[in-house]
Amino acid sequence: MIDLNDNINLPFSLQISFNKLIERYKPLTKSEDPFTAAKAKRILEIQEANPILKEGFSNISVLEKYKDEIQILLQDSFSEVLSLNEIKTVSVPYHNFIFNASKRFENIIKTAGPDFKLVIKNMPENDWYILGCTIIMSFCYGFDANFKRPLYYEIPDENGMIRVYKITYNADFMEILPTDKAPELTQSDFDELLDNFDNIELWKAKFPPNSYISNGFVISNMFDVTDDQAISNIKTTLIGNNKRKDESFMSDFQQVFRSLLGVNDLQVGFSIFNKEENTLMKVHDSAISSFLLKAKEQFKCENLFCHYSYDKILKEKTNFAISDVDKGFELSKGLVPQIKVLKEQGFKSAIFAPIAENGELLAVLELVSATPRALNSINSNKLADVMPFILSAVKRSKRDEENLIQAIIQRECTSIHPSVKWKFEKAARQFMQEDYSGVDNPTFNKISFENVYPLFGQIDVKGSSEARNNATQKDLALQLKMVEKIIKIALKEEHLPIFEQVLFQIKTYKTALKVDFKVDSEQKITQFFKYEIEPLFRFQLKNKPYLKEDIEDYFSKVNTDLEVIYYYRKNYDDTISLINKNMSSLLDRKQVEAQAMYPHFFERFKTDGVEHNMYIGESITKEDSFNELYLYNLRLWQMQVMIDMETAFYNKQHKYPIALDVASMILVFNQPLSIRFRADEKHFDVDGTYNARYEVVKKRVDKANIKGTTERITAKGKLTIVYSQQADEFEYLKYVKFLQSKHKLGDEVEILELEDLQGVTGLKAIRINMLYQKDSSKKEFYTYDDLMNEIKA
C-alpha cells in the first residue's frame, strides 16, 4: 500500500493531518506553567518547519519521513509510563492501518505471530460505507443517526487462545470536509435514508465515493473483554431450545468455556441428579458426555464421591476442584472414587460445579483438563457469572425430559376429546386395514382439521411471583425470630462469643430480607438453618434445661420434609391449588352446556391460573351443519364464562388462605386456520408457518404493555379482549353492550393499542370493567372496588 486510499470504498477519502491537534497547543503557549508553555511552543515550531503535517497527506511514505516529528506531536497522547499498560493506537477511521501504538499493543500483535492480520470484526462490508455516511451526517450536518456499533479485534495470545478486544474511538482530532462532488443534502434526504438502511445504492447517491475528505486521525483505546464475551456466548448458546440438537453445540460450548477459564484443552460434561434414587444420571443426548459416569448410565452418589466431595457437592452445593489428579491419586492410594475415574481417563485437573435451585440439586457441571493445575478452586469462582444461565437451561431441559416421559407413559392411551375422536377412529381403522392386508410398515394417517376458528382465554393470577416471594420472606423472618429468641437466652446464661456471632448473622439476614431480598437469599438463609442452627440446637443446646422447651417448640414448627418453617409458603401454594381447582371445575361444567349448543374441540391447562383452547368448524363436526352463527354464539358464551369464573373466584376469595387477584383475557383470531395432532407430543397444535403466528401471539400477549406505557394490558377487575381486525372490534363491542344490559359488564370501556410484539404488530384491545354479583338470590351488582370493600367489611 502506497496511499491510504488504495482499494478503499468509502464516501470520503482519507488524509492524515495533525491540524486539530496543533490548534489545541496554540493557547497553551501562554500557559502559566513554563514546562507546558515550552512544550506547546516546541510543537508549533515543528509544525511551522513541516507544514505538510498540518495540511495533511495520504501517501504513507510521509509517515516514515517525519517519524520523529510525529512522535513528538503525539507525546502527550501516549504517555511513556503507561505504554506497557494501555492498549492504544493511532490510525485513520475504520481502517486497519496503524501508525503509532503503545508498547502493550505492539507486544500483543507480536505474540499473535507473523502471519496474523489485524481485522475489525462484526461489521458487514456495506455497513462500513453507511457508517462513513453517518459520520458525515453528524460532522457536517449535525444529524445524529445513532449508528454506533461495538467494534472488536480478535487476537490470539501466546497459548493460541483468542482474546477479544473492544475498540473505542476518540475522534477529537478529526474533521470532515465536503468537496465539490458532495451534493447538497436536505432534511427530506435524511428522512429518506432513515427508512432505507439496506439500500446501499441510495446511500452512494446521497454520499458519492470520495465526495468528502476525512482529515486528521483517531486514537483507538482497546479493552480486553474476553470474559464478558465468553459469558455472553454461553448465554447465547444456551438460550435457544433447539441449540442442543445441533452437531456443533458441544464443541461451541466447550470453546466458550475454554475462553472464559483460559484453558485450551478444557472439556465440558454434564450429569443429571435423580433425587429419588440419589444417583447421577447421563444426559440422554449423544453429544453430551459425563466424565464422572464414564460409560455408565447412572451411578449412586455415595459410590461416586468421597465423603468430603459428597458433602461439598450434594449438601453444601458448592464447587469442588481437583487441581492435581496424579498427586491426589498418590496421596489417596487410588481409593478416592472421583479421582480414580478421572485418572483412568487421563485427566489431570477438574472442577465439579453443582447446579442447584432453592437448595435442591438438579445437575452437576463437569469441567476437565489434561493439564495439571489448569483447573483449580481459584478459577472455579469464574463460573459464578454463568451459573444462572446454565441453571435456566438445565431447568428447561428437565421440563422437556419430564414432558417426554409423560408422552411415553401415555403413548397409546392419551385421552382424546370426544369432538375429534371420530377422526382418530377412522385413522385407526385405516391402519388396521393396511396391517391386515400385509402392507409393509403401515402408517397412522396424519390427524388434522382445516378451516377451524380458534378461541383462546385465560384467567391468570396477578403478581404470583411477588406473592410467592412475600410468603418466603415471612416464613424466613418468622424462623429467624424464633432462632434469635433462643440464642439470646443462651447468651444471657453463657456469655460465649459464638452466640454473639450467630446473633450478628441473624441480624444481617433480617436486614437482607427487608431491603435486599435476592434470588439466592432463600437458599443462603435455609442453609444457615440447616447447617448451623439445626446442629447447634440438636447436639449442643437441646439438653440445656433453660432451652429445652423453646427448642422443642422450634422443631415442632419446622416442616420435617423441607426442614424449614413452611407456613406462609404453604398458604400460597394451597391458594394457587384451590384457585385452579375451583375455576377448572366451573369451566368444565360450563363446557358441557357449550358442547350441547354445538360440538367443538376443547382443552384446558392449569398454570398460575387456567387457560383454555377451543376450535370450531365444519371439519371437526364432520356434518354439513356449521354456520358462523355458532362461532359467534361460542364467542359470546366464552365472554360470559370468563366473567362467571372471575365472579366465582372473588366470591370465594375470603375462603382462600391468602388474598390474590386475577386478570382475564380473551384472544380473538378472526381467520380460520388448520390444526394438526402432533403424535410425538400428544396434543393439537396449529399447522403451517402462517398459522404459527397465532401461537406466538397466544404465548406473549398477556405480558404485553399498553402502547407507550409500562402498564400491562391485562388488569384485575377487567376483561381484556385482544384482536387485530376492525371487524372484530365491531363484533365484540356488540357483545359488550349486550352483557352490559345483563349487568355483567360495567360502563368503563377502553379501546387500547398494544406495544409491538416480536414479529407481531397492530394488536388492539377492548378492556371493560366487570360487574360481580355477590349473591345469586339478590340482584345486586358490584364493581371490583365495590366487591373488595364488601369483602373487607
Side-chain angles (χ1 to χ4, degrees), residues 637-743:
W637 170 88
Q638 184 187 34
M639 287 180 67
Q640 294 182 79
V641 168
M642 298 290 281
I643 297 167
D644 290 346
M645 289 169 70
E646 262 214 34
T647 301
F649 165 77
Y650 282 116
N651 283 337
K652 290 182 179 178
Q653 191 185 52
H654 63 284
K655 296 181 180 179
Y656 296 141
I658 61 173
L660 293 172
D661 283 307
V662 295
S664 299
M665 185 204 72
I666 289 171
L667 174 63
V668 183
F669 198 77
N670 70 341
Q671 295 295 319
L673 44 74
S674 297
I675 59 172
R676 176 166 63 92
F677 184 77
R678 301 190 183 278
D680 54 340
E681 299 170 11
K682 296 293 183 287
H683 75 92
F684 278 94
D685 201 354
V686 294
D687 195 14
T689 306
Y690 172 77
N691 296 329
R693 180 175 178 268
Y694 171 69
E695 287 294 331
V696 171
V697 175
K698 201 167 70 173
K699 287 183 174 69
R700 297 174 181 167
V701 70
D702 67 317
K703 299 295 188 294
N705 292 335
I706 298 171
K707 196 166 189 176
T709 75
T710 57
E711 182 186 351
R712 283 275 174 90
I713 193 65
T714 56
K716 61 187 179 184
K718 297 185 179 183
L719 176 62
T720 303
I721 303 163
V722 179
Y723 60 94
S724 61
Q725 302 296 320
Q726 192 75 37
D728 298 330
E729 182 176 313
F730 294 150
E731 178 187 346
Y732 274 85
L733 285 175
K734 287 193 297 184
Y735 301 155
V736 168
K737 287 183 179 179
F738 172 73
L739 294 174
Q740 285 172 332
S741 73
K742 297 291 184 181
H743 302 290

Side-chain angles (χ1 to χ4, degrees), residues 572-583:
Y572 168 82
D573 292 339
D574 289 347
T575 300
I576 293 294
S577 178
L578 283 169
I579 289 171
N580 287 339
K581 179 183 176 182
N582 292 335
M583 288 200 295

Side-chain angles (χ1 to χ4, degrees), residues 50 97 268 285 497-498 595 781 788:
N50 306 283
F97 178 72
V268 180
D285 188 313
I498 187 64
Q595 289 292 341
F781 301 94
M788 290 299 103

Side-chain angles (χ1 to χ4, degrees), residues 237-278:
T237 304
L238 292 173
I239 247 171
N241 274 328
N242 296 321
K243 289 273 187 181
R244 213 178 73 181
K245 298 175 185 176
D246 297 343
E247 290 183 9
S248 62
F249 167 78
M250 209 58 204
S251 60
D252 293 343
F253 197 48
Q254 289 181 161
Q255 192 58 49
V256 291
F257 266 103
R258 289 171 181 176
S259 181
L260 177 66
L261 296 178
V263 179
N264 240 339
D265 61 353
L266 181 146
Q267 295 183 59
V268 180
F270 274 97
S271 46
I272 301 295
F273 179 65
N274 183 329
K275 182 179 179 181
E276 288 74 22
E277 299 180 18
N278 197 37

Side-chain angles (χ1 to χ4, degrees), residues 580-599:
N580 287 339
K581 179 183 176 182
N582 292 335
M583 288 200 295
S584 296
S585 61
L586 189 149
L587 181 58
D588 290 345
R589 289 197 306 272
K590 295 285 186 180
Q591 241 299 297
V592 176
E593 300 171 9
Q595 289 292 341
M597 298 175 193
Y598 192 83

Side-chain angles (χ1 to χ4, degrees), residues 31-49:
S31 172
E32 294 180 2
D33 181 358
F35 178 79
T36 302
K39 183 190 287 186
K41 288 174 184 176
R42 184 188 181 197
I43 296 291
L44 294 179
E45 287 171 1
I46 290 172
Q47 176 265 315
E48 288 169 3

